[in-house]
Amino acid sequence: MDYFLSEEQQMIVDIAKQITDERIIPNRAELDETHGFPREILGEMAQADLFGVPIPEEYGGFGGGCFDIVLAVEQLGRGCIGIGTAFAANFLGAYPILLSGSEELKQKYLPEIASGRKFAAFGLTEANAGSDASGIQTTAYLDGDEWVLNGTKQWITNGGEAQVYSVVAMTDRSRGARGATMFVVEEGDPGFSCGPKERKMGIRASSTTELIFKDCRIPKDRVIGRQGSGFITVMKTLDLSRPGIAALGVGLAQGALDMAASYAKQRKQFGKPVIAFQAVQHMLADMAIGVESARSLVYSAAKHIQAHPRDMSKASAICKTYATDVAMKVATDAVQVMGGYGYMCEYPAEKMMRDAKILQIYEGTNQVQRNVIGQELNKEYSS
Ligand SMILES: Cc1cc2nc3c(=O)[nH]c(=O)nc-3n(C[C@H](O)[C@H](O)[C@H](O)COP(=O)(O)OP(=O)(O)OC[C@H]3O[C@@H](n4cnc5c(N)ncnc54)[C@H](O)[C@@H]3O)c2cc1C
């Protein structure tokens, strides 16, 4: 389908597509097998200015919005959502600074992230605080001119690879959800370290580690926004970022459909290509319906979010939930269309199926997204 992209938007797609075809697809199997971090490929994305896409021009970026970054991320997702995740997590780290940071913080960090000179990460989750983020135990207190952080974040994408970490900590427990504050922690800050890389079912090209704060001291001005506004910034950040996860889902589903359809054309059984069997055609047709409807929804949601930054939650949750459920189903069906070959590591279908699962879990599980949509509907229909 033609989505009538502008010249600039088509250019973003073309650049991301070229990197995906020439660099990601040929290297994804090895990075998956070795849990290797795609440093070189990310470097090439930086050279192609992809890191600057959603960062305003005054901070060295391209000045695009949610829709522009969705276009880039979708292409990367078609190749490997592990590499796509390593890329997209930079914005999860940058958005708190962009949305709530002081001018000084923006000037200091955003140009470095936009150029890809520094990688960023976002630290919210802890061992006992996943969906219920209000349960975080990491604390921060002011000691003279420094904040002192203590606690451990868990499963943080780009952990150990990033230089800039946007982190949430409780600064006043008595205030509950209003007692959390966000900070920028830098690689090398005293008292800050990362745990070993987690071993994962999928998205193995992305690094996932703990962030460990032991009397970690950072300057007073590294606070992001007002003290106590941490969870508001967290929620806005995730609302803005989730269409990117949805776009990874659209890309992965497109990649799985492409592979399954071309396999079905060349695989012969009973004297004909298996695509000649209506049962196979119908599976492919349902996959195509899923991909195209998810893409249309994600594009519309991203445009809505770009135009209405104060009304992001429902559109963001709807597109994340739908597109990632489609990705899981299409990836599973691609394996089915390919039969036993789909199950073998020789083809990327099994990796896509393993990878797809995370999309329904991180940045808020799809159950929790349905809660968000339900709560928004409850508000809308209360009057
Ligand atoms: C590979 C990976 C990368 C990640 N990257 C990051 C990152 O960069 N930064 C970061 O901060 N976090 C990150 N996370 C954490 C991720 O966002 C959480 O795993 C996710 O929010 C879910 O939390 P949980 O795993 O603790 O699940 P839990 O909250 O323990 O949920 C368990 C189950 O209960 C369900 N459930 C929980 N509460 C409800 C409810 N109220 N209603 C209905 N169902 C509910 C969930 O849907 C799920 O099925 C990452 C996780 C992974 C696995």
Side-chain angles (χ1 to χ4, degrees), residues 183-223:
F183 301 93
V184 179
V185 177
E186 290 184 19
E187 178 189 42
D189 277 335
F192 171 51
S193 61
C194 295
K197 259 182 161 182
E198 302 286 350
R199 295 185 67 78
K200 306 191 289 283
M201 173 196 281
I203 61 162
R204 293 175 177 166
S206 71
S207 165
T208 313
T209 74
E210 285 184 341
L211 309 182
I212 303 157
F213 305 99
K214 282 191 183 154
D215 287 328
C216 166
R217 290 186 167 267
I218 58 172
K220 196 176 167 183
D221 61 6
R222 295 252 207 96
V223 65

Side-chain angles (χ1 to χ4, degrees), residues 160-174:
E161 300 290 346
Q163 290 74 43
V164 179
Y165 295 81
S166 295
V167 173
V168 198
M170 295 306 291
T171 41
D172 184 352
R173 261 189 205 296
S174 67

